[in-house]
Amino acid sequence: MSDWNKRTKLVHGGIRRSQYNEVSEAIFLTQGFVYENAEQAEARFIESGPDEFIYARYGNPTVSMFEQRIALLEGTEDAFAAASGMAAVNGALTSLVKSGDHVVSAKALFGSCLHILENILANFGVEITFVDGTNLDEWRAAVRPDTKVCFFESMSNPTLEVIDIAGVAEIAHSVGATVVVDNVFSTPVFSKAVEQGADVIVYSATKHIDGQGRALGGVVLGTKDYIRGTLEPYMKHTGGSLSPFNAWVMLKGLETIDLRVRAQAETAQKIAEAVEGNEALLRAIYPGLKNHAQNALVQTQLGGKGGTVLSLDIKGGKDAAFKFLNALTIPVISNNLGDAKTIVTHPATTTHQRLSDEQKVDLGINPGLIRFSVGLEDDRDLIADVLQALEASQA
Ligand SMILES: *Cc1c(COP(=O)(O)O)cnc(C)c1O
C-alpha cells in the first residue's frame, strides 16, 4: 500500500473487511468486543495484536481504518485518532511535557491552542516562550537545553503566515526538542511536513478531512514509538478517543479530500487574483499570491499551493466588514473552514473576540479582516458575489 500514489491510498488505504466482504467500510458502532473464553480475555489485556480490540476508548476497527489511511497519506508510521482537533492538540502537547519543562511556541495560534499553553500547561509548571513564528532568529534565541517541544501552526489563522517547518525543525532538533505542527491550514493534501522535519503532525479532521461540515474529529501522526509509546497511553486513559461513527465519516471524507482540496485551492487562487488591488481592500492575504511575504516558502514547502483560505482586510473597519458579510449571497456566515460550502468569518468579533486589543493588533487581526474559506461552488459565481459585496462594503 505504501507504494501506491496518493489518490489510490485515499480510496483503499487501511481497509479491513468483515466476514461479509462489504465494499464500503463498515461502522463498528460498538464500545466493546466479546472474548471467546476467559483465557483469551486475559491474554488480550497482556498484549493485543492489530486485529484484537478491547474497548473503543483504546481502539476500534473503524477508527483503525481511519488512522491507517491518514498515516498512509501523510507518510508517517502511525496515527492516533482523537475526538476533536483540540483533543489531538492537547494530547500531542501534554503527552510530551512535565512540570519544569520548557516549550517554545509561535504566538499566532488558534485560540484554544493558546489556552492549552497559556492556561493549562503553564498552570502545571511548564514554561512557555512565545515567538514570531516566521522569524527563525527568534526561535534560535528561545530554545534551551530544557526545551522539550517547539509548536506552531504551519499556516496561521487568520493572517495566513507560513512558517518554515525545515528551518524550525533544524533549530529544535539541535537541542533535542520535538517539533509539533498544527497543520490544518496547510492541509494533508499539500503537506510534506514529515520530509521537512516535523516529528508530530496534528490535524483537526473537522476541517478538510470531513470537508462537509458533519462531524468533529482530530488526528495525531508520528512514529510508531511516539504514537503507541507516548501518545496512546495519554489518550486512552484521558478519554479523547474518536467515535467509530465519526471515524467512518472521516474515512469517507478521505476518499475525496485530494479532489476537493485541490479544487478549493484553485478557486481560492482565482478569487485572490480577482480581488488583489481592489479599491475596497487594504490588502488581500493569500499565500499563493506572489506578493505574499512567504510566497517563496510556499513554493518549496507546499508545492506552490496557497491553501483553501484567504483573508481580506476591508477598508472601513468593522462596519464595512459587516456590510461585506451581509451583502454576500453564496457564502454562509459561520466559523468552520475547509468545508464544501464557502464560509466567511469576522475573526475580531467571533473566533478571536477574547483577545485583547493589543493582541489583535500584534497578530494583524484588524477590525476589517474577513476570513474567507473557499468551498466547492463554481469559481465564477463566487468571484461575482465577492466583487459585488466588496462594492457594497464601501457604500
Ligand atoms: C479548528 C482548529 C483546531 C481545533 O479543531 P476542533 O476540531 O474544532 O477541535 C485546531 N487548530 C486549528 C488550526 C484549527 O483550525
Side-chain angles (χ1 to χ4, degrees):
M1 278 196 263
S2 57
D3 298 341
W4 287 342
N5 289 303
K6 216 173 239 189
R7 287 195 187 162
T8 312
K9 288 176 180 171
L10 287 171
V11 175
H12 295 286
I15 285 258
R16 287 162 190 270
R17 291 205 161 88
S18 77
Q19 71 273 32
Y20 300 113
N21 261 326
E22 60 282 351
V23 173
S24 174
E25 297 76 359
I27 309 176
F28 291 92
L29 207 52
T30 177
Q31 99 341 102
F33 302 83
V34 175
Y35 311 107
E36 275 165 30
N37 50 49
E39 287 76 13
Q40 190 186 55
E42 181 187 32
R44 202 163 292 181
F45 271 77
I46 295 169
E47 194 178 355
S48 49
D51 272 310
E52 297 174 342
F53 296 93
I54 294 173
Y55 191 61
R57 178 152 46 74
Y58 293 22
N60 169 286
T62 313
V63 176
S64 286
M65 286 193 265
F66 168 61
E67 291 171 342
Q68 286 172 19
R69 189 169 293 178
I70 181 83
L72 266 179
L73 172 63
E74 192 71 37
T76 56
E77 286 174 12
D78 212 342
F80 194 94
S84 66
M86 287 322 304
V89 172
N90 180 53
L93 293 175
T94 308
S95 66
L96 282 167
V97 295
K98 61 181 187 328
S99 175
D101 286 344
H102 180 235
V103 172
V104 183
S105 171
K107 63 186 171 188
L109 290 181
F110 185 71
S112 301
C113 297
L114 199 61
H115 182 86
I116 288 176
L117 293 169
E118 266 187 328
N119 299 90
I120 299 173
L121 292 184
N123 280 348
F124 287 101
V126 177
E127 195 190 333
I128 325 284
T129 304
F130 288 101
V131 297
D132 170 354
T134 61
N135 184 339
L136 290 179
D137 289 335
E138 289 197 20
W139 288 99
R140 223 170 267 124
V143 296
R144 320 190 304 220
D146 62 343
T147 304
K148 290 288 154 44
V149 171
C150 287
F151 176 64
F152 56 97
E153 291 174 17
S154 55
M155 190 187 285
S156 70
N157 170 28
T159 50
L160 310 175
E161 289 175 340
V162 183
I163 294 183
D164 182 352
I165 297 174
V168 177
E170 195 187 331
I171 295 163
H173 293 156
S174 73
V175 295
T178 301
V179 177
V180 180
V181 180
D182 180 334
N183 219 21
V184 166
F185 279 65
S186 297
T187 83
V189 168
F190 301 133
S191 167
K192 302 186 193 100
V194 177
E195 284 168 40
Q196 286 146 359
D199 301 303
V200 176
I201 298 155
V202 184
Y203 290 103
S204 162
T206 317
K207 313 293 167 55
H208 306 84
I209 294 175
D210 173 2
Q212 290 161 82
R214 299 163 294 194
L216 281 176
V219 66
V220 184
L221 298 118
T223 62
K224 197 165 254 352
D225 256 13
Y226 164 76
I227 295 291
R228 297 301 152 194
T230 303
L231 181 74
E232 184 188 285
Y234 180 86
M235 296 300 290
K236 77 181 191 186
H237 296 303
T238 56
S241 309
L242 183 64
S243 133
F245 182 81
N246 287 4
W248 178 81
V249 172
M250 301 308 174
L251 259 173
K252 300 313 275 181
L254 284 178
E255 291 186 341
T256 57
I257 192 172
D258 193 76
L259 297 168
R260 285 185 286 107
V261 166
R262 283 181 196 283
Q264 287 167 258
E266 210 171 286
T267 304
Q269 179 80 36
K270 285 184 187 162
I271 297 173
E273 286 169 7
V275 301
E276 202 183 3
N278 188 290
E279 281 182 1
L281 290 177
L282 293 173
R283 26 173 215 162
I285 310 172
Y286 184 64
L289 287 177
K290 290 278 174 287
N291 71 1
H292 186 277
Q294 290 93 35
N295 186 258
L297 184 59
V298 170
Q299 303 307 320
T300 54
Q301 186 158 299
L302 293 165
K305 306 295 183 185
T308 65
V309 178
L310 52 142
S311 289
L312 304 175
D313 201 352
I314 298 183
K315 278 184 198 160
K318 178 182 161 185
D319 280 354
F322 276 29
K323 279 188 197 163
F324 174 77
L325 290 182
N326 294 334
L328 288 167
T329 61
I330 299 170
V332 296
I333 303 172
S334 187
N335 35 258
N336 191 20
L337 60 95
D339 198 276
K341 294 182 174 62
T342 295
I343 293 177
V344 283
T345 312
H346 184 244
T349 54
T350 60
T351 53
H352 293 71
Q353 189 190 111
R354 278 173 306 133
L355 296 184
S356 68
D357 287 346
E358 274 166 28
Q359 278 176 309
K360 284 180 195 158
V361 171
D362 190 31
L363 295 175
I365 301 168
N366 296 340
L369 192 77
I370 301 287
R371 187 180 77 192
F372 198 100
S373 164
V374 178
L376 285 170
E377 301 92 340
D378 191 295
D379 53 15
R380 295 164 297 184
D381 296 337
L382 287 175
I383 289 170
D385 200 23
V386 169
L387 292 177
Q388 68 76 23
L390 281 176
E391 203 173 313
S393 75
Q394 304 299 303

